[in-house]
Amino acid sequence: MQIDIFALANPGDPQGTATQEARRQLDICNACRYCEGYCSVFPAMTLSRAFSDGDVTQLANLCHNCRGCYYACQYTEPHEFKLNLPRALAEVRVESWEKFIWPSGLAHLFQKSGVSLAGALATGIALLFAVAYAMRPESGQGFYAVLSHTLMATLFSVASLLPLVLVSVGLWRYWRYVGGDRITLQHLRDALVDAGKLKNLSGGSAKGCNYEKQDRFTMARRWAHHGVMWGFLLCFASTASATVLHYVMGMEAPYPLISVPKLLGVPGGVLMTLGGIVLIGLKVRAEKSLGAPAVWGGEMAFVLLLTAIAASGIALYCATGTAAVRPLLIGHLGAILAFYLTLPFTKMVHMFFRLAALVRDAQTRAR
Ligand code: SF4
Ligand code: SF4
């Protein structure tokens, strides 16, 4: 007997009200097409006459919530059509992440009460590290005088692999749901180029989008995303190079400024911190009703956590050789561990689903 794991993971998979509402609005937009040049959602939408649940989910994950279409629309309230496409797609997007990532109840909980949950998790993990520090080995050097290398390596290996497995399964479910075909190198290349440039965050015009204010076009959100994304990748490369130095060359942290981990990690941390601060400011100023208001707290918790990791990493570097290293290292590693453990249930998953949506979009355009 063949067992459909996908069906088991999504029992019944009832068509949500968010999907129905988004489909109603997409049908209107598909007839109107005024916003055709705004982003990749509209060209993809015009390829269909009727939208399946998978089509709606794919279009929702292509949307960047730039809000340009809302401010340009003549059918927003008080018009009887009550168009609010950015919100309709944002709600389907969140629903899709909650549905595809296992266990779905956890994603829902984090999205609903993200600030308190992230705070509690980071505090609990920092306390755990404080206990581990109290029981530290006598012989440790550098950072390993604060926490043993074995403890760090074990904790972070498990904590980074587990989310990757959950996200991979979630992406596989997404791919089946949106009817994805076999992926070629060309599809991947097109999607990675679009993602690397954050092309769609320009709002379809050279002036940028008006995410935080109706009459103000700005590139701020795009540049802030660039800062966070490239900063994150530089920090990731820094960690990978430090692993090579430790295991292959026998050189232990902390490393001097003129070393590969520092030359990648310091600019990466600065970029992430600055990008995160700008994103926090934009999110506070932006109109909540044009996103998914129910998950605003969870999204803000994610940006705060990411910014705290980057800022505490920079602070740790500045404090090298002082007594502040111990509490800073414990707080920094606690925040990183919280980030890894909550990764599949936070806004971080949008990076993976967006890339999958771009690959699917490249397939559709190539037909
Ligand atoms: S958002 Fe409004 S103006 Fe834009 S395509 Fe849809 S219905 Fe037309
Ligand atoms: S909010 Fe922006 S990205 Fe989303 S559909 Fe409207 S114009 Fe496109």
Side-chain angles (χ1 to χ4, degrees), residues 23 101 141 148 157 190 247 254 270 292 327 361:
R23 188 177 0 252
I101 296 283
Q141 296 290 319
S148 82
S157 301
D190 290 353
Y247 287 104
V270 171
D361 192 48

Side-chain angles (χ1 to χ4, degrees), residues 38-39 41-42 62-70 85-86 89:
Y38 280 32
C39 65
V41 172
F42 288 92
L62 271 183
C63 170
H64 283 276
N65 198 240
C66 77
R67 302 165 178 207
C69 61
Y70 177 84
L85 194 60
L89 295 182

Side-chain angles (χ1 to χ4, degrees), residues 36-358:
E36 225 164 25
Y38 280 32
C39 65
S40 53
V41 172
F42 288 92
M45 171 201 300
T46 55
L47 296 176
S48 303
R49 289 191 164 199
F51 303 104
S52 66
D53 288 2
D55 294 336
V56 176
T57 301
Q58 163 66 8
L59 293 172
N61 278 281
L62 271 183
C63 170
H64 283 276
N65 198 240
C66 77
R67 302 165 178 207
C69 61
Y70 177 84
Y71 291 125
C73 185
Q74 58 273 43
Y75 301 123
T76 55
E77 283 193 282
H79 192 280
E80 60 184 318
F81 286 174
K82 296 184 178 174
L83 253 286
N84 185 344
L85 194 60
R87 176 172 181 160
L89 295 182
E91 289 183 340
V92 171
R93 209 161 43 241
V94 171
E95 206 175 81
S96 73
W97 303 336
E98 290 179 357
K99 184 165 59 183
F100 296 125
I101 296 283
W102 182 88
S104 54
L106 215 51
H108 191 66
L109 178 73
F110 190 86
Q111 297 286 357
K112 290 282 180 219
S113 46
V115 175
S116 51
L117 204 65
L121 195 54
T123 309
I125 291 167
L127 282 174
L128 185 84
F129 276 123
V131 171
Y133 168 63
M135 299 161 59
R136 69 193 181 284
E138 294 294 320
S139 55
Q141 296 290 319
F143 286 170
Y144 309 123
V146 182
L147 293 171
S148 82
H149 178 260
T150 311
L151 176 71
M152 275 202 221
T154 310
L155 266 178
F156 284 95
S157 301
V158 174
S160 55
L161 281 177
L162 189 67
L164 280 183
V165 172
L166 295 181
V167 170
S168 302
V169 173
L171 285 176
W172 174 70
R173 288 173 174 165
Y174 174 84
W175 199 247
R176 289 194 56 182
Y177 196 73
V178 302
D181 301 324
R182 192 174 63 82
I183 299 170
T184 65
L185 279 178
Q186 183 67 36
H187 301 147
L188 263 183
R189 195 194 70 86
D190 290 353
L192 285 171
V193 168
D194 280 358
K197 290 181 183 168
L198 294 175
K199 187 182 115 191
N200 293 315
L201 271 173
S202 65
S205 73
K207 293 183 288 183
C209 66
N210 34 18
Y211 171 78
E212 78 277 22
K213 207 170 176 201
Q214 175 177 1
D215 52 2
R216 180 169 171 250
F217 286 87
T218 163
M219 285 286 187
R221 190 162 174 247
R222 188 181 185 196
W223 292 125
H225 270 87
H226 266 300
V228 172
M229 182 180 78
W230 290 107
F232 180 82
L233 292 174
L234 281 173
C235 290
F236 186 79
S238 163
T239 307
S241 67
T243 306
V244 172
L245 286 187
H246 184 95
Y247 287 104
V248 180
M249 304 178 75
M251 294 166 64
E252 291 192 352
Y255 300 105
L257 180 59
I258 308 301
S259 63
V260 178
K262 281 279 161 52
L263 290 174
L264 293 170
V266 173
V270 171
L271 275 176
M272 255 177 88
T273 308
L274 294 177
I277 290 170
V278 174
L279 283 181
I280 290 166
L282 291 175
K283 197 157 184 61
V284 167
R285 289 202 299 278
E287 173 58 48
K288 283 185 188 173
S289 67
L290 301 188
V295 299
W296 191 91
E299 292 183 353
M300 183 56 102
F302 165 70
V303 188
L304 285 169
L305 188 60
L306 210 56
T307 310
I309 289 171
S312 59
I314 297 293
L316 193 56
Y317 169 67
C318 295
T320 301
T322 70
V325 164
R326 286 176 179 171
L328 277 173
L329 181 65
I330 287 172
H332 180 63
L333 293 180
I336 292 177
L337 202 52
F339 169 78
Y340 276 134
L341 291 174
T342 56
L343 185 151
F345 318 112
T346 64
K347 183 83 189 282
M348 188 68 187
V349 290
H350 87 286
M351 186 178 90
F352 302 100
F353 281 90
R354 173 95 62 224
L355 192 57
L358 287 172

